[in-house]
Amino acid sequence: MSERDWRPRYVQLAEELREKIQRGELPAGEPLPSEPELAEQTGISRTSVRNAIRQLREWGLVRAEQGRGTFVRRPKVRVKRSNVERYQWEKDRVHEPEEVRRQTGGTEHDTGLSVHDLKFHAKYQEMDAPSDLAHIFGVRSGTKLLQRTYWTSAKTEDAPLSMSRSYLVHEVVAKNPDLLSDRNEPWPGGTHHQLSTVGIEIDHITDHVVARPPSPDEADILRTESGDWVLVLRKISTSTEGKVVEVADAVYPADRTELVYNIGLKRWNQA
Amino acid sequence: MSERDWRPRYVQLAEELREKIQRGELPAGEPLPSEPELAEQTGISRTSVRNAIRQLREWGLVRAEQGRGTFVRRPKVRVKRSNVERYQWEKDRVHEPEEVRRQTGGTEHDTGLSVHDLKFHAKYQEMDAPSDLAHIFGVRSGTKLLQRTYWTSAKTEDAPLSMSRSYLVHEVVAKNPDLLSDRNEPWPGGTHHQLSTVGIEIDHITDHVVARPPSPDEADILRTESGDWVLVLRKISTSTEGKVVEVADAVYPADRTELVYNIGLKRWNQA
DNA sequence: GAGTGGTCTAGACCACTGT
DNA sequence: CAGTGGTCTAGACCACTCC
């Protein structure tokens, strides 16, 4: 006598399919049986079958494609971002000769893809500081900011995408008019070099990491599935004079991203 | 003549309710109209109303409670974890006198809650190293590990919860038998002090941050909503001798957590 | 017991994909 | 064109909460 299974039928079906997928019985890329087929096989209604499939989608195991079928997703390879090393690398790059700086940008360094795999987009806009940014910069709400939006689109499928917004105090960077136009992007040497042209050196950077559901435009650019989340990294850069000079928000698809931070500790015997 | 709205009706309803919530017309804590009520008001079926509400749940805006109603969630306050400072603090604490070490543990430091608000749980188990952990520790698969599971449950509502698993190589810590039993938890001075009793000093720590849907037991302990994700932090500690001595996985509710990393950069003029 | 959300059915039409 | 997933209806019964 086996015990009665009190779980809802759609949960039971979802679990069955999950096990089949994880045992490799339904390999990645393969379609599930169609919804009417599953309904007939299991003797439950199509609505409940759809409920089970919705569960599998929330678990990130399958992806439904309109008119084609529902397919087992291949496990996402997470792209590692080591920001401690990356930020130092970006800073060091400023004193390289221009032809070296031209060869790789931050994005290529992030993704490991070459310039040829990526399309780079940049857009500059002026805006009034909302209260949270004003507070971080230590300026009054409504102070003019330069907002720079960057996104990359990959030519190859399954490549990691990203989207970021950077904020600078307009008055600070306006000393060099070249910094105000997106026609100068991609700037060889990146933000560190841009800021160095107005006499700013960055002393330290603080990363703030949160995860949340994507906004509609983020979902669009990153091509996330329904139920996916994004990792949001707010990078706050402080100059050697102790002023916050840049705030940058980067948005990554959470299931394809791993952030790595290396932290050295003081030795006891050197205290 | 207004244009026809081609979006599905449940999406339209979801958007309408989202706007009402964000305009404050439906304040946090208030119930939505019941499902039959919404169905009647809008003239669509209850199934479609439920679809709209599912959308709002995925957006994290509402929470459904069986038998009571569907309520507007109050925006979650994120608990900040500054691991750079925290890890150094934990290391420094080892050389404090025992009565000081006894007063606060890592958990209290994390959450800002006092000992009285939290129930602390610890469980030790032996296990054979799975291949990923074996690879990190640099030992053979199947090597005996000590697995330590910690979780806190809060007495007050809405308090941040957490759950973590720590792994040590059994042979390494067995030199001090006190380290093998969970009856000695909470250990004054934490892992740094525990390891110091077998002659180990930690030199640096690497944090690996990913986000994913919770496993069923994680969802249970953290009381996450369906559709919520968790932040998983894998902390890898390396000794002054260059060996990985501890791997610890901490799981946090993603919508209540913010991780902060402070990164100092080398000065140009000191190069 | 009345009202809530959770599960479930047996249909229907639609938009999209492939051949 | 047939077959897929997406939307939608009009019912039904259940488990749970609160009075």
Side-chain angles (χ1 to χ4, degrees):
Chain A
M1 290 278 291
S2 73
E3 242 187 67
R4 186 151 161 12
D5 194 341
W6 288 102
R7 294 171 306 169
R9 303 192 121 141
Y10 79 92
V11 174
Q12 295 176 38
L13 174 56
E15 295 274 342
E16 274 172 39
L17 290 170
R18 184 180 59 75
E19 279 165 26
K20 276 195 182 173
I21 290 169
Q22 289 177 344
R23 277 202 308 267
E25 225 164 297
L26 286 166
E30 286 299 299
L32 261 50
S34 76
E35 293 175 0
E37 226 169 311
L38 281 170
E40 221 220 333
Q41 282 173 23
T42 57
I44 65 185
S45 74
R46 195 184 147 212
T47 309
S48 292
V49 168
R50 279 184 66 73
N51 253 328
I53 290 178
R54 184 163 45 71
Q55 183 73 263
L56 293 172
R57 292 221 261 170
E58 273 183 16
W59 290 339
L61 292 173
V62 303
R63 143 185 230 108
E65 288 177 43
Q66 168 79 264
R68 304 217 313 125
T70 302
F71 301 87
V72 179
R73 288 173 75 171
R74 45 194 86 249
K76 282 285 162 57
V77 176
R78 291 182 192 268
V79 175
K80 285 193 179 147
R81 290 182 52 94
S82 298
N83 281 354
V84 178
E85 294 76 11
R86 175 170 193 266
Y87 293 158
Q88 186 64 55
W89 175 86
E90 284 178 343
K91 180 167 181 178
D92 293 343
R93 201 166 53 123
V94 169
H95 289 137
E96 300 282 351
E98 175 157 351
E99 64 268 24
V100 174
R101 298 202 315 263
R102 233 174 238 299
Q103 283 179 20
T104 54
T107 310
E108 290 84 64
H109 187 254
D110 286 353
T111 58
L113 297 175
S114 82
V115 175
H116 307 295
D117 299 327
L118 294 166
K119 246 187 283 185
F120 176 86
H121 310 263
K123 192 174 139 207
Y124 283 27
Q125 280 176 291
E126 292 177 10
M127 66 177 292
D128 296 332
S131 63
D132 64 323
L133 289 175
H135 183 255
I136 294 171
F137 280 117
V139 299
R140 278 190 308 278
S141 265
T143 302
K144 212 199 286 181
L145 300 183
L146 180 67
Q147 180 195 59
R148 312 182 297 170
T149 307
Y150 302 95
W151 70 101
T152 53
S153 50
K155 294 168 187 167
T156 58
E157 198 54 56
D158 265 10
L161 306 172
S162 72
M163 172 186 181
S164 69
R165 286 215 169 86
S166 156
Y167 303 91
L168 302 164
V169 176
H170 190 277
E171 184 194 39
V172 172
V173 291
K175 292 176 204 158
N176 180 357
D178 286 348
L179 298 181
L180 299 177
S181 163
D182 49 30
R183 286 176 324 219
N184 297 316
E185 290 277 3
W187 184 287
T191 299
H192 283 273
H193 191 273
Q194 288 176 316
L195 290 174
S196 75
T197 67
V198 291
I200 291 173
E201 175 182 356
I202 292 174
D203 176 72
H204 64 272
I205 294 175
T206 308
D207 275 3
H208 297 251
V209 180
V210 305
R212 56 165 173 75
S215 65
D217 57 318
E218 290 165 352
D220 211 44
I221 291 182
L222 300 176
R223 289 182 214 156
T224 53
E225 286 279 292
S226 137
D228 283 356
W229 280 36
V230 292
L231 273 179
V232 184
L233 195 161
R234 168 160 281 187
K235 177 181 80 165
I236 300 178
S237 302
T238 306
S239 72
T240 52
E241 289 164 356
K243 290 209 168 176
V244 172
V245 292
E246 190 201 20
V247 176
D249 293 326
V251 182
Y252 307 102
D255 61 344
R256 284 175 264 170
T257 306
E258 174 175 343
L259 301 176
V260 180
Y261 293 92
N262 191 27
I263 300 162
L265 302 176
K266 294 189 204 107
R267 291 287 177 97
W268 282 328
N269 52 13
Q270 297 177 351
Chain B
M1 291 278 290
S2 73
E3 241 184 69
R4 187 154 161 12
D5 194 342
W6 289 103
R7 293 172 307 168
R9 303 196 117 127
Y10 78 91
V11 174
Q12 295 177 37
L13 174 56
E15 295 274 344
E16 274 172 39
L17 291 171
R18 183 180 61 72
E19 279 165 27
K20 277 196 184 176
I21 290 169
Q22 289 176 344
R23 276 201 310 267
E25 224 163 299
L26 286 166
E30 285 300 298
L32 261 51
S34 75
E35 293 175 0
E37 227 169 310
L38 282 170
E40 222 221 334
Q41 281 174 24
T42 59
I44 65 184
S45 73
R46 195 183 148 212
T47 310
S48 292
V49 169
R50 279 184 65 74
N51 253 330
I53 290 178
R54 182 163 46 70
Q55 183 73 262
L56 293 172
R57 290 220 262 170
E58 275 183 16
W59 290 338
L61 293 173
V62 302
R63 145 187 227 106
E65 288 177 43
Q66 168 80 264
R68 304 216 314 124
T70 303
F71 301 85
V72 179
R73 287 172 76 170
R74 47 195 83 248
K76 281 286 162 59
V77 176
R78 291 182 192 269
V79 175
K80 287 196 175 132
R81 291 183 50 93
S82 298
N83 281 352
V84 178
E85 294 76 10
R86 175 170 192 266
Y87 293 159
Q88 187 64 54
W89 176 85
E90 284 179 341
K91 180 167 180 178
D92 293 344
R93 202 166 53 123
V94 169
H95 289 136
E96 300 282 351
E98 174 158 350
E99 65 268 23
V100 174
R101 298 202 315 266
R102 232 174 239 299
Q103 284 181 19
T104 55
T107 311
E108 288 84 65
H109 188 254
D110 286 354
T111 58
L113 296 176
S114 81
V115 176
H116 307 295
D117 299 326
L118 296 166
K119 245 187 282 184
F120 176 86
H121 310 263
K123 193 175 137 204
Y124 283 26
Q125 281 175 290
E126 291 179 12
M127 65 176 293
D128 296 334
S131 63
D132 65 323
L133 288 175
H135 182 255
I136 295 171
F137 279 116
V139 298
R140 280 188 307 281
S141 266
T143 302
K144 211 201 284 179
L145 300 182
L146 180 66
Q147 181 196 61
R148 312 182 297 169
T149 307
Y150 301 95
W151 69 101
T152 53
S153 50
K155 294 168 188 167
T156 59
E157 199 52 59
D158 265 12
L161 307 173
S162 73
M163 171 186 181
S164 71
R165 286 215 168 83
S166 156
Y167 303 91
L168 302 163
V169 176
H170 190 277
E171 185 192 40
V172 171
V173 290
K175 290 176 207 158
N176 180 358
D178 286 346
L179 298 182
L180 299 178
S181 162
D182 49 30
R183 285 176 324 217
N184 298 317
E185 289 279 4
W187 184 286
T191 299
H192 282 275
H193 191 274
Q194 288 176 316
L195 290 174
S196 76
T197 67
V198 292
I200 291 173
E201 176 182 355
I202 291 173
D203 177 71
H204 63 273
I205 294 176
T206 308
D207 275 4
H208 298 251
V209 180
V210 305
R212 57 166 173 74
S215 64
D217 58 318
E218 290 165 351
D220 212 43
I221 289 181
L222 299 175
R223 293 183 212 158
T224 53
E225 285 281 291
S226 136
D228 283 356
W229 281 35
V230 292
L231 273 179
V232 184
L233 195 161
R234 169 160 281 188
K235 178 181 82 167
I236 301 179
S237 303
T238 307
S239 71
T240 51
E241 288 164 358
K243 291 209 167 175
V244 171
V245 292
E246 189 200 19
V247 176
D249 293 326
V251 182
Y252 306 103
D255 62 344
R256 283 176 265 170
T257 306
E258 173 175 342
L259 301 176
V260 179
Y261 292 93
N262 190 28
I263 301 163
L265 301 176
K266 292 188 204 111
R267 290 286 177 95
W268 281 328
N269 53 14
Q270 296 176 348

